[in-house]
Amino acid sequence: MASSRPDGPAAGSGGHDAVEPDPHEVARSIVLRQLTAAPKSRLQLQRKLAERDVAPDVAAAVLDRLEEVQLVDDAEFARMWVRSRAQTKGLAARALERELADKGITGDTAAEALGQLSADDELAAARSLVEAKLKTNADYTDRSVRDKHTRRLVAMLGRKGYSPSLAFQVVTEAIDALA
């Protein structure tokens, strides 16, 4: 026999109404799962909660609490992100600044994190990237070969956030050493 209420319990539920989960617990659970996978900025977590239709006031309350207990810390996230991406991808400060901004980290927090990188660090990273990509068997005395490789290497450094002047300097030095 069907339930006398039009919105009655579904078949097989044992007749008990389902209890709505606490929205704060749901949000906290989502955030903790995200943080388990990889560190995230507050903005990234806020976006994830919005995707999951968590009310903005609930999201803010949960994120505020997790900041209080330092599970969400944009400054630490930014420092770690800069170190990691500079080492693994060889990115320059300019590219890292763009990535941080995409993750909601700007201003003093971004500047402090980017302050970990010195001009010498960037120069060394650019040289390392060029050395890894430089064709040692190419005939760099041929102007067209030299120009082609210079363009490609400078473009690669540009995509990684290096200034054109630094890119040309590093590439020219590396090619001159082989020519």
Side-chain angles (χ1 to χ4, degrees):
M1 175 166 204
S3 170
S4 60
R5 294 185 331 180
D7 61 344
S13 70
H16 299 288
D17 288 331
V19 176
E20 281 291 315
D22 176 25
H24 288 83
E25 279 302 315
V26 170
R28 188 176 304 107
S29 177
I30 292 167
V31 169
L32 292 176
R33 267 195 313 276
Q34 290 297 309
L35 291 173
T36 300
K40 305 266 190 301
S41 69
R42 182 180 174 112
L43 180 64
Q44 288 175 296
L45 295 169
Q46 196 173 328
R47 287 175 178 161
K48 183 54 79 174
L49 291 171
E51 281 176 21
R52 301 286 299 271
D53 297 323
V54 173
D57 60 322
V58 172
V62 168
L63 292 172
D64 287 346
R65 177 64 185 135
L66 292 176
E67 276 184 342
E68 284 176 27
V69 296
Q70 298 178 338
L71 285 175
V72 175
D73 183 346
D74 278 355
E76 180 57 30
F77 170 81
R79 285 189 294 274
M80 189 180 62
W81 184 263
V82 167
R83 275 192 312 270
S84 172
R85 299 289 285 177
Q87 288 174 354
T88 61
K89 298 292 185 185
L91 297 179
R94 205 172 69 192
L96 291 166
E97 185 176 21
R98 276 193 310 268
E99 286 188 353
L100 288 174
D102 289 345
K103 295 174 182 335
I105 299 170
T106 58
D108 291 343
T109 305
E112 179 188 322
L114 293 167
Q116 300 174 99
L117 299 179
S118 70
D120 290 341
D121 293 337
E122 280 199 2
L123 181 59
R127 285 181 174 146
S128 177
L129 288 166
V130 169
E131 286 171 15
K133 296 284 186 184
L134 197 59
K135 305 267 191 258
T136 54
N137 60 351
D139 178 14
Y140 291 111
T141 58
D142 179 340
R143 192 70 185 165
S144 66
V145 170
R146 181 185 184 97
D147 289 349
K148 177 176 89 173
H149 286 273
T150 298
R151 279 192 312 275
R152 288 182 178 174
L153 291 168
V154 167
M156 180 262 305
L157 290 175
R159 287 188 299 276
K160 292 192 175 277
Y162 293 91
S163 70
S165 61
L166 177 70
F168 274 107
Q169 171 195 338
V170 169
V171 170
T172 301
E173 288 172 1
I175 288 176
D176 286 349
L178 291 177

